[in-house]
Amino acid sequence: MAGTPKILVIRFSAMGDVAMTAPILKEFTQNYPDAELLVVSRSLFKPFFSGIKNLIFHTFDPKQTHKGFAGLLKLFTELKAHKITAVADLHSNLRSKVLTTLFSLIGVKTVSVDKGRKEKKELTRKTNKILSPLELTVQRYADVFKKLGFPFTIKNTLQQVSAETPNKETLAIISEALKSAHSIANKTQKWIGVSPFAQHLQKVYPLHKMEAVVLSLAASGHHLFIFGGSAEEQEIAEGWAAKHENITSVVRKIKLDEELKLISNLDVMLSMDSSGMHLASLMNIPVVSVWGATHPYAGFLGYGQSINDAAQLDLYCRPCSVYGNVPCYRGDFACMNNLAESIVIDKVIYKLNNQKGI
């Protein structure tokens, strides 16, 4: 390949999946410092790629500028102007396939991620289930670059970060946004992030049980920050915050880049199998993850995270879904309803006390 490699990286959504690409792209640039990356994704996700060398972010606007097939042709024209030498399709959906086809027609090599649909179907089917760990999604992303001629071995480990007092500037920004400087003016407690929501209900720990977990941890003297996105989630989080001074809701109060700064100062994140886990992984924060209908074996465990920190029950029916978008066929949602709050609390406390400098 003559000249400087310039690789187009396609990953439009969802938030967690886009966040998972960032650590892999960072490792890619460490292994191939002379290569350039052009990432195309939604504007909201741009903060995920901040600080990655030789990376340019190109906004994908599916609702206006790049809507429909005509919009994808416009996007192709915009991207082609960057003199792309290869395309890494980390999404493999209809839109990304249109782009890869267009680039293939002009002689650019393209590789799309292998999502392992067959193995995932075997993992989630009701009968003759094959319960074994599949390739991690972050490894599947790395495999795309290998097929393009850029092999590297992913570290899949969280970087060591200091446990010093949080950055004063970060505290000032967040305190102002939250209008509650008294709660985070100084980090005198352990900070626990809680990301209790998910797109699909089958991935959500019942909220009354999560509330009990949150209140217990707050009563133990730790400070908890509740993360979320919707107005309904904001109401729930503020309801919890009103019950204890050690609970702060940041839902719809700070921007994504500010969320990432706050997350980078946490001691641990408690999250569903959702974007909260991947945002924490991006910021090198250990995660205690809670799993119901889905399972870490499907490959979506956060980058650098340990399955030992996953709170889950062994049931014959788990996992019944890859993404949590299938209703419980048993009807009792036992995977979450029978998962004791004490199990979740104990895992969080254990992680707080056994971080080995992380």
Side-chain angles (χ1 to χ4, degrees), residues 69 72-73 76 97-108:
F69 183 71
L72 286 177
L73 288 176
F76 170 65
K97 287 177 180 178
V98 169
L99 285 178
T100 55
T101 299
L102 291 172
F103 274 103
S104 294
L105 290 174
I106 62 171
V108 177

Side-chain angles (χ1 to χ4, degrees), residues 22-262:
I24 297 306
L25 300 187
K26 186 177 294 184
E27 288 205 37
F28 172 86
T29 59
Q30 291 168 353
N31 283 273
Y32 298 96
D34 295 329
E36 298 178 3
L37 296 173
L38 177 66
V39 174
V40 57
S41 192
R42 298 171 192 250
S43 59
L44 173 65
F45 305 142
K46 186 176 181 179
F48 296 161
F49 306 97
S50 176
I52 299 180
K53 295 180 179 178
N54 297 333
L55 185 148
I56 298 173
F57 187 89
H58 190 97
T59 297
F60 168 60
D61 179 12
K63 294 185 177 180
Q64 293 183 353
T65 309
H66 306 127
K67 184 178 181 179
F69 183 71
L72 286 177
L73 288 176
K74 179 175 173 54
L75 178 60
F76 170 65
T77 301
E78 294 169 2
L79 298 171
K80 186 175 63 170
H82 287 271
K83 300 187 182 341
I84 300 300
T85 61
V87 178
D89 174 15
L90 304 186
H91 200 147
S92 193
N93 72 343
L94 182 58
R95 285 176 172 140
S96 70
K97 287 177 180 178
V98 169
L99 285 178
T100 55
T101 299
L102 291 172
F103 274 103
S104 294
L105 290 174
I106 62 171
V108 177
K109 184 176 182 179
T110 70
V111 174
S112 297
V113 65
D114 176 7
K115 293 185 174 181
R117 289 186 174 90
K118 180 177 180 292
E119 307 98 279
K120 288 175 180 174
K121 185 175 181 179
E122 293 171 344
L123 176 68
T124 57
R125 62 194 180 193
K126 291 183 183 179
T127 57
N128 300 317
K129 186 187 297 292
I130 301 178
L131 189 64
S132 60
L134 305 183
E135 189 172 53
L136 289 171
T137 299
V138 289
Q139 181 61 58
R140 292 183 186 276
Y141 289 163
D143 289 344
V144 171
F145 291 97
K146 179 180 180 180
K147 292 174 184 176
L148 285 173
F150 300 90
F152 63 98
T153 302
I154 66 171
K155 298 173 184 174
N156 197 32
T157 56
L158 300 180
Q159 296 178 13
Q160 297 289 313
V161 293
S162 65
E164 298 175 359
T165 302
N167 181 280
K168 296 289 185 182
E169 180 184 355
T170 299
L171 285 177
I173 292 172
I174 297 169
S175 295
E176 182 178 355
L178 295 175
K179 307 298 182 186
S180 58
H182 65 281
S183 66
I184 59 171
N186 295 290
K187 187 178 180 183
T188 57
Q189 305 156 290
K190 292 285 189 179
W191 283 8
I192 303 170
V194 182
S195 184
F197 310 109
Q199 182 179 359
H200 302 295
L201 289 177
Q202 282 69 33
K203 296 202 293 186
V204 177
Y205 194 49
L207 293 177
H208 69 281
K209 295 169 75 69
M210 181 56 82
E211 180 179 349
V213 169
V214 166
L215 289 173
S216 176
L217 291 170
S220 298
H222 309 299
H223 198 99
L224 287 82
F225 296 92
I226 313 299
F227 295 85
S230 70
E232 182 182 1
E233 291 168 1
Q234 179 183 24
E235 183 178 353
I236 293 168
E238 290 181 356
W240 294 350
K243 294 183 178 181
H244 203 288
E245 62 180 1
N246 284 343
I247 304 172
T248 300
S249 169
V250 302
V251 183
R252 299 170 72 88
K253 294 181 179 179
I254 57 178
K255 299 176 182 177
L256 181 58
D257 59 337
E258 295 167 342
E259 275 196 23
L260 292 172
K261 289 177 181 176
L262 176 57

Side-chain angles (χ1 to χ4, degrees), residues 124 198-204 273 292-294 300 319-329 333:
T124 57
Q199 182 179 359
H200 302 295
L201 289 177
Q202 282 69 33
K203 296 202 293 186
V204 177
D273 168 23
T294 60
F300 293 103
C320 62
S321 171
V322 174
Y323 304 109
N325 56 346
V326 179
C328 174
Y329 68 82
F333 199 32

